[in-house]
């Protein structure tokens, strides 16, 4: 970051918080994708966005300091600084993950090809001038319904020539020639959408013989840690927005689960080091586990005020409300449209525009990143992200219009 960029200028703290939240969440996806795909290009995007979050954090802190006029002001604004600091920690952790690729810290070459088929890939695709997508909205393209892939962000040139990010684009956003799309979805869906966007073929990773027999198990752990950390961040912001101690407690449970996964993953890495020719190539796996734990720790910091009974400043709730997606926690009632069916059977995403990101069973078992075959049962708790209108519709389908009950 250029030092002059951090000079004080009046900014909206609410807008700063909203952008930091959205950018930090995107960075989790991007950083893991960079490692699992071995992409220097995506890793460099992560570092560029990390610089942006650093700048936002400094500008936000300056504005808060200028706003404090008394001890009462300081007490009210201190939790806002905490939320900003947690978002910056998430961003910095994502940068550390990206540097595993850029600095060649060490990961097995076979890591990316050991990803289970159920895991979603994330790739970057530049829209060609003659693409069938040019001038069409995401609703018109409907790629998520037809191919299972979705656009999670767009990098677009502005009128001044400077490129900017469109985070979590909506159904009415139209694609332009030259847009850099971040596509997320199963490999089959990416293989369908990528050529339509770029005009060129999609080249999936070429399988490489793993140096360790059970590398697939390690990848499963990595993806589970990432999913749980990402879910913890989503729930942490939700707990603040709705002042829900119950949801904040779930964040604490997820953080503890990530800690346990990290411990087991480190033990696996140390045992694996004795079975490979060059143990240094496993060093990046340790960095990955440590950075993931930082993300879950930051999520707990966001919800810590709720756990301690401290009221969040209204600007924090306002910022979360203005961010690109809302988060809801709903209970599935017996006898409703979704009870006893799968997410795919009822086409929940198509019907509501909401993406179910986790399901919690009655026995407290988490199903993270559930798919179309995930069955919903009466008594299940579902966590979903999307639009407010979609949240209302989803609430009707499950028979629960109460969100984030304390």
């Amino acid at each position: 970051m250029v030092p002059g960029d951090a000079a004080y200028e009046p900014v909206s703290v609410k807008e700063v918080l909203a952008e930091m939240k959205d950018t930090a969440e995107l960075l989790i996806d991007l950083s893991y994708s960079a490692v699992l795909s071995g992409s220097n290009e995506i890793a460099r995007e992560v570092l560029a966005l990390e610089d942006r979050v650093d700048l936002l954090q400094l500008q936000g802190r300056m504005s808060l300091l200028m706003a404090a006029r008394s001890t009462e002001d300081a007490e009210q604004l201190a939790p806002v600084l905490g939320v900003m600091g947690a978002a910056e920690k998430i961003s910095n952790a994502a940068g550390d993950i990206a540097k595993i690729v850029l600095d060649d810290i060490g990961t097995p070459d076979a890591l990316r090809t050991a990803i289970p088929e159920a895991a979603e890939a994330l790739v970057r695709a530049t829209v060609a001038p003659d693409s069938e997508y040019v001038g069409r909205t995401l609703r018109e393209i409907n790629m998520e319904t037809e191919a299972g892939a979705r656009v999670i962000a767009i990098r677009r040139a502005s009128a001044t020539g400077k490129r900017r990010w469109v985070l979590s684009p909506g159904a009415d956003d139209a694609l332009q020639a030259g847009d850099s799309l971040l596509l997320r979805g199963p490999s089959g869906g990416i293989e369908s959408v990528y050529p339509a966007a770029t005009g060129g073929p999609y080249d999936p990773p070429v399988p490489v013989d793993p140096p360790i027999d059970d590398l697939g198990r390690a990848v499963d752990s990595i993806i589970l840690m990432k999913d749980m950390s990402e879910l913890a961040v989503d729930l942490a912001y939700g707990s603040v927005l709705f002042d829900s101690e119950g949801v904040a407690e779930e964040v604490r449970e997820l953080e503890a689960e990530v800690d346990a996964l990290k411990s087991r993953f480190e033990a696996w890495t140390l045992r694996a080091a004795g079975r490979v020719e060059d143990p240094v190539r496993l060093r990046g796996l340790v960095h990955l586990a440590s950075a993931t734990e930082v993300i879950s720790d930051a999520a707990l910091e966001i919800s810590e005020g709720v756990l301690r009974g401290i009221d969040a400043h209204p600007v924090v709730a306002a910022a979360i409300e203005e961010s690109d997606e809302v988060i809801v926690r709903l209970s599935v009632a017996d006898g409703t449209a979704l009870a006893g069916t799968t997410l795919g059977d009822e086409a929940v995403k198509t019907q509501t525009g909401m993406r179910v990101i986790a399901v919690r069973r009655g026995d407290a078992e988490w199903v993270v990143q559930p798919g179309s075959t995930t069955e919903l049962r009466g008594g299940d708790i579902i966590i979903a992200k999307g639009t407010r209108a979609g949240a209302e519709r989803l609430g009707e389908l499950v028979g629960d219009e109460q969100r984030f009950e304390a």
Side-chain angles (χ1 to χ4, degrees), residues 328 354 387-397 400-401 403:
V328 293
M354 299 293 291
T387 64
R388 295 189 177 282
E392 297 291 345
R393 174 59 179 151
L394 183 59
E396 294 172 0
L397 291 176
D400 182 4
E401 298 180 8
R403 302 183 201 163

Side-chain angles (χ1 to χ4, degrees), residues 322-339:
E322 289 199 2
S323 62
D324 291 315
E325 293 182 304
V326 297
I327 307 162
V328 293
R329 175 180 182 265
L330 301 169
S331 176
V332 180
D334 288 319
T336 52
L338 295 188

Side-chain angles (χ1 to χ4, degrees), residues 86-366:
E88 186 192 24
K89 286 182 179 179
I90 294 170
S91 170
N92 291 342
D96 289 340
I97 292 172
K99 289 173 185 175
I100 294 173
V101 178
L102 294 175
D103 296 343
D104 195 22
I105 290 177
T107 52
D109 293 334
L111 183 64
R112 61 186 181 277
T113 57
I115 302 173
E117 293 182 1
E120 292 185 315
L122 190 148
V123 301
R124 180 175 174 175
T126 301
V127 179
D130 58 350
S131 168
E132 62 186 78
Y133 293 162
V134 173
R136 299 171 63 193
T137 66
L138 293 177
R139 176 182 285 108
E140 293 169 339
I141 296 170
N142 199 24
M143 68 174 67
E144 186 161 3
T145 299
E146 295 183 0
R150 61 187 181 275
V151 179
I152 64 171
I154 303 170
R155 195 174 187 192
R156 172 174 295 163
S158 64
T160 61
K162 186 177 181 180
R163 299 185 71 81
R164 64 182 181 87
W165 284 94
V166 179
L167 304 177
S168 299
D172 294 324
D173 283 311
L175 300 185
Q176 302 174 8
D179 281 352
S180 291
L181 311 180
L182 290 177
L183 300 171
R184 183 175 179 178
S187 295
I190 297 296
E191 289 176 2
S192 171
V193 171
Y194 188 91
T198 67
Y202 172 64
D203 296 321
V206 178
V208 178
D209 292 334
I212 310 166
D213 293 337
D214 57 350
L215 183 61
R217 184 160 63 92
V219 174
D220 287 343
S221 296
I222 291 172
I223 292 174
L224 183 57
M225 289 171 66
K226 180 261 185 186
D227 288 343
M228 284 190 166
S229 295
E230 191 173 25
L231 176 61
V233 172
D234 285 336
L235 295 183
Y237 281 114
S239 71
V240 173
L241 175 59
F242 295 97
D243 192 25
S244 171
E245 185 176 349
V247 176
E249 287 289 352
E250 291 177 350
V251 175
R252 179 149 57 189
E253 291 176 14
L254 283 169
E255 189 271 340
E257 289 187 47
V258 172
D259 284 351
L261 279 169
K262 179 204 171 193
S263 178
R264 291 196 295 270
F265 184 73
E266 287 177 336
W268 176 90
T269 305
L270 289 172
R271 286 193 295 268
R275 295 183 278 129
V276 296
E277 184 176 345
D278 182 12
V280 174
R281 296 302 300 170
L282 301 179
R283 189 163 54 108
L285 298 181
V286 178
H287 281 253
L288 187 59
S290 296
T292 305
E293 185 189 26
V294 171
I295 293 172
S296 65
D297 289 346
L300 186 57
E301 287 184 23
I302 292 171
S303 58
E304 186 174 12
V306 177
L307 291 170
R308 294 179 179 274
I310 302 172
D311 292 334
H313 192 281
V315 73
V316 178
I320 298 172
E321 286 180 335
E322 289 199 2
S323 62
D324 291 315
E325 293 182 304
V326 297
I327 307 162
V328 293
R329 175 180 182 265
L330 301 169
S331 176
V332 180
D334 288 319
T336 52
L338 295 188
T341 66
T342 67
L343 294 174
D345 287 340
E346 293 297 322
V348 172
K349 180 66 174 67
T350 302
Q351 280 200 67
T352 67
M354 299 293 291
R355 179 164 56 91
V356 178
I357 59 177
V359 178
R360 188 174 188 179
R361 303 294 186 202
D363 57 3
E365 172 193 357
W366 278 104

